[in-house]
Amino acid sequence: MNDLLPEQSATWQYLERAVADLLSRYSYREIRFPILESTELFKRAVGEVTDIVEKEMYSFEDRNGDSLSLRPEGTAGCVRACTQNGLLHNQTQRLWYSGPMFRHERPQKGRLRQFHQVGVEAFGLLGPDIDAELLLITARLWKNLKIDHAVKLQINSLGTSADRATYRAALVDYLMQRHDQLDEDSQRRLTSNPMRILDSKNEATQALLKDAPKLADFIDQESRDHFQHICAVLDKAGIAYQINQRLVRGLDYYSKTVFEWVTDSLGAQGTVCAGGRYDGLVEQLGGKPCPGVGFAMGVERLVLLLDELGVVPDSIGQQLDLYLLAVGNVEQQALVLAENLRTDCANIRLEVHCGGGSFKSQIKKADKSGAAIALILGEDEASSGTIGVKYLREDIQQQAVAQSDLSELLNKKFNNAL
Ligand code: ATP
Ligand code: MG
């Protein structure tokens, strides 16, 4: 569980703002729901035999003896919140959320125990147009962030849950006959969650799978049409994609569409965004049947990618404009003067020196702060109503300016540039 230090937070804010702005342009609205939910909710939503529920949840009993869990993902809580608040009654909803998720995994690059996701969910829409819209949103986000050259879209269709049950039986049948050649993990999954064997990293297992039954041969016509429609939109919009028949995702609730955006630039944990359709989930969690589709982006992995590719604009670095020195017994005047400047000059960033000290020590701090200009208020200036304006990064002579003229001068200097 990482701390986010001030030097990194500008990149996070840059990313979070880009996402929030974009989603609002597509008419998605933010929803917030608790980080703790009943353990039962995740068992029912994510699935009893998934990695998440079997071994990754932070669960505990509260004082009432109820079992609660830190949320390992957002969709379950989002569905619970929407159902409980009547947001899904004969309505469509386009929603997003962001925040921490918790999974007790083996920590490594791109895999943390507290990580952050931005999730997007659309409810009440059965057709493939909304699946396609979600893909268009993500594609535009990558473009806006200038990482589109580094991520690739993989999509697949899982068909209906009935299709998957038939397929699962055929797959198990095929693999049972080759049981001894499977890796240990896959042998275990053969009885618990056989479709996860498809994305096994083991080479021998992958070789075995070459001649295994293909999911695509088992899915129904409606799912096929749904999938074709999405592909057609992507083709028309000029978004490249790869159909990956091995893509099954680690959560049980998906049906029909699943997709991942993957990068080669981050090593083994290359999936920066993943999602799909989950038409059965709302009903499964006790709501009236309501289709849903969504995705979640991994914020840490996106931040790593932005850093790796060096695409974060320098201008987000919270550059300080002014550092106001208060030398001598002028601390009260300094704070009030700074307030007046903040009222008059909306766009400037100004730090007031607090804590006293000599001129020499204060000007050192001013220089270190990165500010363009040091404003010097000493006792002489305070009594004559002036202030010293010292340019720290430009070869301009220090000036004494009337305090009443200062706002205008600063607005001229900084607002034009902003
Ligand atoms: P992966 O195969 O990478 O483990 P997943 O299938 O477990 O992913 P989802 O549950 O679909 O992932 O979560 C969506 C996204 O959230 C992932 O693509 C990834 O970017 C991010 N993510 C998931 N687990 C972690 C983690 N432990 N640490 C950091 N980011 C994560
Ligand atoms: Mg995982």
Side-chain angles (χ1 to χ4, degrees), residues 101-353:
M101 307 290 162
F102 303 83
R103 297 183 194 175
H104 194 275
E105 305 193 79
R106 194 169 67 78
Q108 53 198 283
K109 183 180 177 193
R111 207 185 278 299
L112 300 145
R113 290 183 170 175
Q114 173 176 325
F115 61 99
H116 296 74
Q117 289 184 338
V118 176
V120 177
E121 318 281 357
F123 294 102
L125 295 159
L126 259 179
D129 45 357
I130 187 69
D131 309 38
E133 178 177 274
L134 292 178
L135 294 171
L136 296 173
I137 291 175
T138 47
R140 182 175 294 272
L141 180 64
W142 314 142
K143 214 174 227 167
N144 290 354
L145 294 171
K146 302 187 176 59
I147 57 173
D148 49 317
H149 62 287
V151 289
K152 289 200 178 73
L153 175 60
Q154 303 198 343
I155 57 176
N156 192 22
S157 177
L158 301 179
T160 64
S161 64
D163 300 337
R164 269 201 314 289
T166 321
Y167 172 67
R168 198 178 297 125
L171 182 67
V172 169
D173 193 44
Y174 173 88
L175 291 175
M176 270 303 180
Q177 292 165 35
R178 294 155 183 86
H179 187 269
D180 296 345
Q181 299 165 59
L182 285 173
D183 62 279
E184 213 174 292
D185 231 15
S186 298
Q187 287 181 354
R188 193 174 53 80
R189 286 187 163 141
L190 203 47
T191 45
S192 61
N193 197 352
M195 285 185 45
R196 280 292 269 180
I197 297 175
L198 295 182
D199 57 22
S200 161
K201 304 268 185 317
N202 185 287
E203 273 176 34
T205 300
Q206 278 304 333
L208 265 191
L209 287 168
K210 281 219 173 72
D211 299 320
K214 298 274 178 294
L215 176 58
D217 299 331
F218 287 72
I219 71 173
D220 66 317
Q221 193 57 45
E222 201 214 312
S223 297
R224 273 170 220 263
D225 293 345
H226 190 98
F227 191 64
Q228 284 313 314
H229 186 109
I230 297 167
C231 294
V233 174
L234 294 174
D235 290 334
K236 289 199 173 84
I239 294 166
Y241 58 92
Q242 194 190 7
I243 297 172
N244 176 0
Q245 299 220 12
R246 300 267 165 83
L247 186 65
V248 293
R249 312 283 302 115
L251 297 82
D252 272 0
Y253 51 59
Y254 289 115
S255 55
K256 291 186 177 156
T257 322
V258 288
F259 63 87
E260 287 190 0
W261 286 94
V262 186
T263 179
D264 291 331
S265 308
L266 294 182
Q269 313 310 329
T271 303
V272 293
C273 173
R277 184 166 273 280
Y278 48 85
D279 289 340
L281 182 63
V282 176
E283 191 179 14
Q284 198 179 310
L285 294 180
K288 292 225 175 69
C290 177
V293 54
F295 63 80
M297 297 181 255
V299 177
E300 281 83 357
R301 291 187 196 176
L302 284 169
V303 167
L304 277 175
L305 187 57
L306 290 170
D307 284 343
E308 190 86 19
L309 301 176
V311 289
V312 180
D314 289 338
S315 57
I316 66 151
Q318 306 268 317
Q319 189 63 47
L320 195 62
D321 299 314
L322 304 169
Y323 192 97
L324 174 54
L325 282 64
V327 187
N329 190 17
V330 294
E331 283 162 357
Q332 298 172 8
Q333 290 99 311
L335 285 170
V336 174
L337 179 68
E339 283 309 296
N340 292 338
L341 289 176
R342 292 190 182 103
T343 304
D344 293 346
C345 314
N347 286 325
I348 59 157
R349 264 195 202 107
L350 160 62
E351 180 173 330
V352 178
H353 182 89

